[in-house]
């Protein structure tokens, strides 16, 4: 298996623009997680899905952030409009059954100017 | 808030065993101890987990004290590629509000 796939790996955009991050989980994994990592706040869970259904989105910072999982092999995290404080590395992770052993993707480094 | 306490950083000589401590004095009876690591510019990587008994896999060994208030991750023969931030996490049983709390971890530097 190729592991968790994220795209793009790097994104540079200007404030106010829409940003869409993409994730393909490991085939057969029922759980998908979106994290954000910054030097100041460390690794933060934004939202997670079970069988394509959002279970907990309490970590989503504000309404500018939204996440979808239209099918078992694809998820998106959208920021609209983006702000400089959204600059971070965004990770997607998936797990097989119980949400414990998570497998992370390589991350998307987002820079908002 | 994080439920674990780890040293901020540690050094270890290449080829020696690296012993990374973690305190989790408030751990409950049904909470697991998980270890992940994050190599620079990569996503976190699962290492090992345990509940009560010591565990060993191809990457590391996990020693949990009898009272379960602390644990030690052991990398038996550290290499330069083991330089990373190591996270000790207490994981509650699966429930509808499951969430891993990631602390700052221990930055382990393996020196040649």
């Amino acid at each position: 298996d190729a592991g968790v796939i994220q795209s793009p790996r790097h994104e540079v955009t200007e404030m106010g623009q829409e940003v869409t991050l993409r994730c393909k989980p490991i085939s057969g994994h029922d759980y998908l997680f979106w994290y954000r990592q910054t030097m100041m706040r460390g690794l933060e869970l934004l939202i997670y899905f079970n069988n394509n259904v959002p279970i907990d989105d309490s970590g989503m910072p504000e309404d500018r952030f939204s996440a979808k999982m239209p099918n078992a092999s694809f998820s998106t995290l959208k920021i609209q409009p983006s702000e400089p404080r959204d600059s971070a590395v965004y990770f997607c992770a998936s797990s097989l059954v119980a949400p414990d052993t998570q497998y992370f993707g390589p991350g998307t480094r987002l820079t908002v100017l | 808030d994080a439920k674990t306490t780890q040293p901020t950083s540690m050094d270890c000589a290449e080829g020696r065993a690296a012993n990374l401590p973690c305190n989790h004095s408030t751990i409950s009876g049904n909470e697991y101890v998980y270890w992940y690591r994050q190599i620079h510019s990569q996503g976190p990587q699962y290492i090992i987990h345990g509940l009560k008994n010591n565990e060993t896999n191809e990457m590391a060994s996990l020693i949990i004290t009898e009272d379960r208030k602390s644990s030690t991750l052991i990398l038996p023969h550290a290499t330069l590629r083991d330089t990373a931030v190591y996270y000790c996490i207490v994981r509650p049983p699966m429930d509808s509000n499951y969430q891993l709390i990631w602390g700052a971890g221990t930055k382990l530097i393996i020196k040649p």
Side-chain angles (χ1 to χ4, degrees):
Chain A
D1 199 310
V4 176
I5 299 172
Q6 291 187 247
S7 64
R9 292 294 309 278
H10 302 274
E11 178 78 36
V12 179
T13 190
E14 293 187 347
M15 182 174 62
Q17 297 298 307
E18 177 180 295
V19 175
T20 299
L21 311 181
R22 297 173 176 80
C23 175
K24 175 179 169 57
I26 294 173
S27 178
H29 281 193
D30 290 334
Y31 288 83
L32 184 139
F33 305 80
W34 281 102
Y35 288 88
R36 176 173 69 175
Q37 187 172 39
T38 61
M39 289 293 293
M40 290 294 295
R41 300 176 65 88
L43 198 60
E44 303 173 280
L45 178 65
L46 301 178
I47 185 172
Y48 79 94
F49 295 82
N50 180 16
N51 291 321
N52 313 336
V53 176
I55 301 301
D56 183 359
D57 65 354
S58 60
M60 295 286 263
E62 49 196 276
D63 292 345
R64 297 184 297 106
F65 286 69
S66 62
K68 294 182 179 180
M69 192 166 186
N71 57 62
S73 59
F74 183 66
S75 177
T76 60
L77 178 68
K78 185 176 295 186
I79 308 172
Q80 166 63 18
S82 58
E83 297 182 3
R85 59 188 169 132
D86 301 330
S87 296
V89 180
Y90 291 80
F91 289 104
C92 176
S94 69
S95 64
L96 183 58
V97 179
D100 50 9
T101 304
Q102 299 179 17
Y103 297 86
F104 283 75
T108 295
R109 181 173 295 276
L110 173 65
T111 302
V112 183
L113 303 175
Chain B
D1 292 336
K3 295 183 179 180
T4 63
T5 303
Q6 299 177 254
T8 302
S9 64
M10 292 181 61
D11 292 346
C12 179
E14 187 179 19
R16 303 296 295 269
N19 296 279
L20 292 91
C22 179
N23 285 321
H24 31 78
S25 58
T26 60
I27 194 170
S28 299
N30 55 1
E31 292 181 321
Y32 285 78
V33 179
Y34 275 74
W35 284 84
Y36 285 78
R37 74 180 181 183
Q38 187 172 21
I39 295 171
H40 182 62
S41 297
Q42 297 184 20
Q45 176 190 23
Y46 165 80
I47 301 174
I48 198 168
H49 73 278
L51 182 63
K52 295 181 181 179
N53 300 321
N54 298 336
E55 303 288 345
T56 296
N57 63 21
E58 66 279 4
M59 290 183 67
S61 294
L62 175 60
I63 308 298
I64 302 175
T65 59
E66 191 169 345
D67 63 8
R68 303 208 325 120
K69 292 185 177 181
S70 66
S71 60
T72 300
L73 178 74
I74 301 173
L75 308 178
H77 304 287
T79 70
L80 298 179
R81 288 174 294 186
D82 292 322
T83 293
V85 177
Y86 286 77
Y87 297 95
C88 170
I89 300 167
V90 170
R91 181 219 179 278
M94 185 175 71
D95 58 32
S96 61
N97 291 317
Y98 165 85
Q99 180 173 159
L100 286 181
I101 306 297
W102 298 76
T106 296
K107 183 172 178 58
L108 175 66
I109 299 174
I110 306 300
K111 297 187 172 181

